[in-house]
Amino acid sequence: MDPKVRLCLLLLALSWSANLMMSVSAQEEDDEVDIMDDGDVELSDDLLGDEGEPEAEPEESEAPTPPPVPKVTYKAPEPMGEHFFAESFDKGTLDSWILSKAKKEGIDEEIAKYDGVWEVEEMKDSKLPGDKGLVLKSRAKHHAISAWLLRPFTFDTKPLIVQYEVNFQTGIDCGGAYVKLLSQTSDLNLDEFVDKTPYTIMFGPDKCGEDYKLHFIFRHKNPKTGEFEEKHAKKPDSDLRTFYTDKKTHLYTLVLNPDNTFEILIDQTVVNSGSLLTDVTPPVNPPAEIEDPDDHKPEDWDERPKIQDPDAVKPEDWDEDAPAKIADEDAVKPEGWLDDEPEYTGDPDAVKPEDWDEDMDGEWEAPQIPNPACESAPGCGKWEKPVIDNPNYKGKWKPPMIDNPNYQGVWKPRKIPNPDYFEDLHPFRMTSFSAVGLELWSMSSDIFFDNFFITYDRNTAERWASDGWGLKKAAEGAAEPGLVKQLIGAAEERPWLWVVYVLTVALPLVLIIVFCCTGKKKPAAAAADYKKTDEPQPDVKEEEEEQEAEEKEEENAEEEEEVKEEEQTAADKKSDLEDSPAEEGANEEDAQDSEEKEDEVDKSDEPEEDVLRRSPRNRKVRKE
């Protein structure tokens, strides 16, 4: 296939695919949401008849109306199965939550108070009327709020699953939305909840500047010293920017397993995973050996792998004073060089400004311009020979480098057994926790929290997520604009995208027009060209074949009449030949010509296809 044809087909396929995607997106936008009570999504009463059945289709005479936007009915999630904490805030109160009355230590008295405001309310742009959550309302203030679990969670043989929802309604400049699982201690007082209150796990999003974080920090107890040390999970490989900037509700989930593995999910998709033994910093278990702090490098330790050859001697002909550049002695001054003309001269047209003060500004001089006399000459001023590289230049002599016979390698202090070494093969067995808390400082307000849930059963957690976050996702998806509106909205925020759109649409069209509608057409081969070779003629249309057949019949009739006339003429010549032997040779030639014409007439009666396919090599030699 011709490359141009292939390219055209490819461009057409791409255009059709783009149009198909746009039409599918528009169709999805018009689809009705029809999820019943088990998914907690229903069509609004406006879309149903009086008896709960769909309204009758409008008559053909009525103008079609666009379908209304589906209305999703909210139903508060209810916890099912074993769980330690469940909070949807749909009661509209903070009865089970405790606001901290403490002050933060080490900062000014004016900003030390945890006086940030919390409210239970719906989101500003809520797609689910009746769905409420906990909202951080204040900017640049310290916030602290917490609640007790139904019962403490103990790390034994069952996993830990923590999940909750966050929506940065106004975006996030600098601040966090992470949750702390407060350690179970005898002196735990939620009224005095501060940043230094012991916690077992800290998990959730955090952002400042262009650093988008998703924390997973746990406090590990040293079995030898009894001290706690924070262990930070490795950073996710995924780009988290979208989750902080799209102003959508996202579900954050942490899963810890008894085999010391962990998973971090956003919107039920794993974005980070690993092992508590190998994928945290600093590592849980310290090294078995450490460098001896009392070991010092000996003074005679030689770490030089190469040294200068002490036996090397500078050659006698080595000239260290030779310059790197010298004048070219073979250079000759070009003819016409103007030695007496300066390269620059004063501008004769320049005029001293009227406000020029020689006492303040000094003596006025005309600005310098290139000397007009030098424009037609090879150069002006004093001629000097050009400079070239000095072939005898060698530079300063240095002895060559050789391997150091006394090289001892890079010195390192010796290893000694680590006095603080221990081996904890079960870091999953952390300190039990009995409360959940939010201790935050943020430069952004209106951070929405909802549907906190703590359990050890994955199915129970997924059911809670489906009834809560799944409903939000369905409502937000039903209200989302189509693909075209999204593209226009993106271009309004970033005007340079219009250029991308124009190139994306216009370039394929231009290429299609250039390659499909232009170009030289291959001239049709003449019939005589095919008769000279064995190459078959191209197929013709039926109408052309019928027209050619009629023309051939007329030509054959005319040729038959001409043949008859030639036969009659040949007979007359034969009779004359008997009477005139001198004309015998000429008559024979005429007879031969007549025979050739007869052969051509006979061949014209044959099918045209046989004539075209017959090779010149297969033609028989006509006998004279």
Side-chain angles (χ1 to χ4, degrees), residues 162-225:
V162 180
Q163 65 184 27
Y164 67 105
E165 302 168 13
V166 177
N167 187 314
F168 299 106
Q169 299 183 85
T170 59
I172 180 72
D173 294 326
C174 185
Y178 43 80
V179 62
K180 290 182 177 181
L181 306 181
L182 304 181
S183 302
Q184 182 184 15
T185 59
S186 58
D187 58 346
L188 178 59
N189 183 4
L190 299 186
D191 289 326
E192 300 295 325
F193 175 36
V194 293
D195 58 330
K196 295 182 179 180
T197 300
Y199 67 88
T200 301
I201 292 175
M202 189 176 89
F203 166 68
D206 188 14
K207 186 253 183 181
C208 198
E210 291 300 316
D211 190 8
Y212 298 86
K213 297 179 181 179
L214 183 54
H215 290 299
F216 167 41
I217 305 172
F218 67 93
R219 296 172 72 242
H220 179 262
K221 184 177 181 180
N222 188 315
K224 296 190 70 172
T225 63

Side-chain angles (χ1 to χ4, degrees), residues 107-156:
I107 59 176
D108 294 340
E109 184 71 17
E110 296 179 357
I111 60 174
K113 294 181 180 180
Y114 284 91
D115 55 354
V117 178
W118 299 92
E119 295 288 348
V120 176
E121 60 186 20
E122 297 182 10
M123 284 190 291
K124 291 182 177 181
D125 188 18
S126 177
K127 306 299 186 298
L128 285 174
D131 179 20
K132 297 180 180 180
L134 179 64
V135 181
L136 182 149
K137 301 293 293 182
S138 307
R139 294 179 67 253
K141 286 184 177 294
H142 295 285
H143 302 72
I145 191 170
S146 57
W148 295 103
L149 272 59
L150 298 177
R151 61 186 183 278
F153 183 92
T154 303
F155 295 87
D156 46 22

